[in-house]
Amino acid sequence: LVACCGGSFINKPATVESTMKTFKKFLHAANNHGIQTKLNYKDVRLKRMTGQYTFLTPEELKTLFEYYNTKYINTSWKNILQRYLFSCFTGLRLGDIETIKEENFIDGNLVFTASKVEKFTRIKLNKTAISLVNLPRVFNGHYSRGLF
Protein backbone atom coordinates (compact mmCIF):
# COMPACT_ATOMS: atom_id res chain seq x y z
CA LEU A 1 0.00 0.00 0.00
CA VAL A 2 1.29 3.41 -0.88
CA ALA A 3 0.20 6.63 0.78
CA CYS A 4 0.74 10.02 -0.76
CA CYS A 5 0.86 13.44 0.91
CA GLY A 6 3.07 15.67 -1.17
CA GLY A 7 5.43 12.73 -1.57
CA SER A 8 5.08 9.00 -1.36
CA PHE A 9 6.22 6.33 1.02
CA ILE A 10 5.56 2.65 1.55
CA ASN A 11 3.82 1.63 4.74
CA LYS A 12 5.53 -0.71 7.19
CA PRO A 13 4.38 -4.37 7.17
CA ALA A 14 2.54 -3.96 10.50
CA THR A 15 0.56 -1.02 9.06
CA VAL A 16 -0.35 -3.00 5.95
CA GLU A 17 -1.51 -5.95 8.06
CA SER A 18 -3.57 -3.68 10.31
CA THR A 19 -5.25 -2.16 7.25
CA MET A 20 -5.89 -5.61 5.81
CA LYS A 21 -7.37 -6.76 9.12
CA THR A 22 -9.83 -3.86 8.98
CA PHE A 23 -10.62 -4.64 5.34
CA LYS A 24 -11.30 -8.29 6.23
CA LYS A 25 -13.59 -7.22 9.09
CA PHE A 26 -15.74 -5.14 6.70
CA LEU A 27 -15.69 -7.85 4.06
CA HIS A 28 -16.89 -10.35 6.70
CA ALA A 29 -19.72 -7.98 7.72
CA ALA A 30 -20.74 -7.55 4.07
CA ASN A 31 -20.74 -11.32 3.48
CA ASN A 32 -22.79 -11.87 6.66
CA HIS A 33 -25.37 -9.33 5.45
CA GLY A 34 -25.83 -11.17 2.17
CA ILE A 35 -23.71 -8.86 0.04
CA GLN A 36 -22.10 -11.01 -2.61
CA THR A 37 -18.49 -10.17 -3.43
CA LYS A 38 -15.97 -11.89 -5.65
CA LEU A 39 -13.80 -12.25 -2.57
CA ASN A 40 -14.94 -14.03 0.58
CA TYR A 41 -13.49 -12.95 3.92
CA LYS A 42 -12.26 -16.53 4.44
CA ASP A 43 -10.03 -16.12 1.37
CA VAL A 44 -8.07 -13.30 2.99
CA ARG A 45 -5.08 -14.66 4.91
CA LEU A 46 -3.28 -12.45 7.39
CA LYS A 47 0.16 -12.73 8.90
CA ARG A 48 0.61 -11.83 12.53
CA MET A 49 2.75 -8.70 12.61
CA THR A 50 3.98 -6.61 15.48
CA GLY A 51 5.09 -3.01 15.37
CA GLN A 52 8.62 -1.94 16.12
CA TYR A 53 8.47 0.03 19.34
CA THR A 54 11.33 1.87 20.96
CA PHE A 55 10.95 3.01 24.54
CA LEU A 56 12.81 5.69 26.44
CA THR A 57 14.76 4.49 29.42
CA PRO A 58 14.01 6.12 32.79
CA GLU A 59 17.40 7.85 32.54
CA GLU A 60 16.58 9.30 29.11
CA LEU A 61 13.21 10.55 30.35
CA LYS A 62 14.86 12.12 33.39
CA THR A 63 17.42 13.84 31.15
CA LEU A 64 14.67 15.27 28.93
CA PHE A 65 12.76 16.52 31.98
CA GLU A 66 15.92 18.14 33.38
CA TYR A 67 16.59 19.81 30.02
CA TYR A 68 12.97 21.06 29.94
CA ASN A 69 13.62 22.81 33.27
CA THR A 70 16.90 24.50 32.25
CA LYS A 71 17.36 28.08 31.11
CA TYR A 72 19.22 26.83 28.01
CA ILE A 73 16.19 25.56 26.09
CA ASN A 74 14.58 28.01 23.65
CA THR A 75 10.87 28.76 23.96
CA SER A 76 9.71 26.80 20.90
CA TRP A 77 11.58 23.64 21.88
CA LYS A 78 10.40 23.99 25.48
CA ASN A 79 6.76 24.20 24.37
CA ILE A 80 7.10 21.14 22.15
CA LEU A 81 8.99 19.19 24.82
CA GLN A 82 6.27 20.14 27.32
CA ARG A 83 3.67 18.32 25.19
CA TYR A 84 5.97 15.35 24.58
CA LEU A 85 6.79 14.90 28.27
CA PHE A 86 3.13 15.26 29.24
CA SER A 87 2.37 12.50 26.75
CA CYS A 88 5.12 10.33 28.27
CA PHE A 89 3.76 10.78 31.80
CA THR A 90 0.10 10.26 30.86
CA GLY A 91 0.13 7.97 27.82
CA LEU A 92 -1.91 10.45 25.78
CA ARG A 93 -1.82 10.33 22.00
CA LEU A 94 -0.92 13.48 20.08
CA GLY A 95 -4.54 13.89 18.94
CA ASP A 96 -5.70 13.95 22.57
CA ILE A 97 -2.93 16.35 23.62
CA GLU A 98 -4.20 18.75 20.95
CA THR A 99 -7.76 18.75 22.29
CA ILE A 100 -7.46 18.90 26.08
CA LYS A 101 -8.44 22.12 27.81
CA GLU A 102 -8.54 23.50 31.34
CA GLU A 103 -11.94 21.95 32.02
CA ASN A 104 -10.45 18.47 31.48
CA PHE A 105 -8.46 18.83 34.73
CA ILE A 106 -10.60 17.90 37.75
CA ASP A 107 -9.23 17.25 41.25
CA GLY A 108 -5.82 15.98 40.12
CA ASN A 109 -7.32 13.91 37.32
CA LEU A 110 -7.40 14.38 33.57
CA VAL A 111 -10.83 13.44 32.22
CA PHE A 112 -11.57 13.36 28.50
CA THR A 113 -12.90 11.24 25.68
CA ALA A 114 -10.01 9.64 23.82
CA SER A 115 -10.35 10.64 20.18
CA LYS A 116 -9.03 7.46 18.56
CA VAL A 117 -11.19 4.99 20.48
CA GLU A 118 -13.97 7.40 21.53
CA LYS A 119 -13.73 6.14 25.10
CA PHE A 120 -14.23 8.24 28.22
CA THR A 121 -10.96 8.20 30.14
CA ARG A 122 -9.83 9.35 33.58
CA ILE A 123 -6.13 9.53 34.38
CA LYS A 124 -4.81 10.27 37.87
CA LEU A 125 -2.00 12.75 37.31
CA ASN A 126 1.27 12.50 39.19
CA LYS A 127 3.19 15.58 40.36
CA THR A 128 5.47 15.58 37.32
CA ALA A 129 2.55 15.56 34.84
CA ILE A 130 0.81 18.33 36.81
CA SER A 131 4.00 20.42 36.74
CA LEU A 132 3.93 20.34 32.92
CA VAL A 133 0.49 21.97 32.69
CA ASN A 134 0.03 25.74 32.61
CA LEU A 135 -3.57 26.49 33.45
CA PRO A 136 -5.65 28.12 32.10
CA ARG A 137 -4.00 27.62 28.67
CA VAL A 138 -2.77 24.04 29.41
CA PHE A 139 0.14 24.25 26.93
CA ASN A 140 2.12 27.24 25.67
CA GLY A 141 2.30 28.18 22.00
CA HIS A 142 0.34 26.92 19.02
CA TYR A 143 1.96 24.34 16.78
CA SER A 144 0.90 22.26 13.82
CA ARG A 145 2.00 18.70 13.26
CA GLY A 146 3.72 19.67 10.02
CA LEU A 147 5.28 17.15 7.66
CA PHE A 148 8.46 15.42 8.70
Side-chain angles (χ1 to χ4, degrees), residues 93 95-96 99-100 104 110-122:
R93 295 177 181 93
D96 295 324
T99 62
I100 61 172
N104 296 109
L110 177 63
V111 293
F112 65 102
T113 300
S115 58
K116 183 174 180 179
V117 294
E118 297 180 2
K119 179 181 175 188
F120 180 77
T121 305
R122 180 190 326 258

Side-chain angles (χ1 to χ4, degrees), residues 70-136:
T70 68
K71 63 181 179 181
Y72 305 108
I73 186 170
N74 74 45
T75 303
S76 291
W77 284 108
K78 184 169 183 142
N79 294 340
I80 292 166
L81 187 54
Q82 175 191 29
R83 290 164 171 78
Y84 180 76
L85 288 169
F86 189 79
S87 176
C88 289
F89 285 104
T90 60
L92 262 66
R93 295 177 181 93
L94 178 58
D96 295 324
I97 291 279
E98 293 171 333
T99 62
I100 61 172
K101 296 180 176 36
E102 180 180 12
E103 56 265 18
N104 296 109
F105 295 88
I106 302 170
D107 298 327
N109 293 288
L110 177 63
V111 293
F112 65 102
T113 300
S115 58
K116 183 174 180 179
V117 294
E118 297 180 2
K119 179 181 175 188
F120 180 77
T121 305
R122 180 190 326 258
I123 299 172
K124 177 74 175 157
L125 298 174
N126 62 30
K127 290 178 184 178
T128 306
I130 292 170
S131 75
L132 293 164
V133 177
N134 301 321
L135 297 178

Side-chain angles (χ1 to χ4, degrees), residues 1 4 8 11 15 27 29-30 32 34 38-39 43 58 75 83 86 88 96 108 117 122 128 143 147:
L1 295 174
C4 181
S8 65
N11 288 320
T15 303
L27 184 61
N32 280 345
K38 292 182 180 181
L39 182 63
D43 297 331
T75 303
R83 290 164 171 78
F86 189 79
C88 289
D96 295 324
V117 294
R122 180 190 326 258
T128 306
Y143 297 91
L147 295 174

Side-chain angles (χ1 to χ4, degrees), residues 47-63:
K47 297 177 189 172
R48 185 112 170 110
M49 302 294 292
T50 57
Q52 297 175 356
Y53 298 102
T54 303
F55 297 96
L56 291 177
T57 65
E59 294 79 23
E60 291 169 327
L61 192 56
K62 182 179 178 186
T63 300

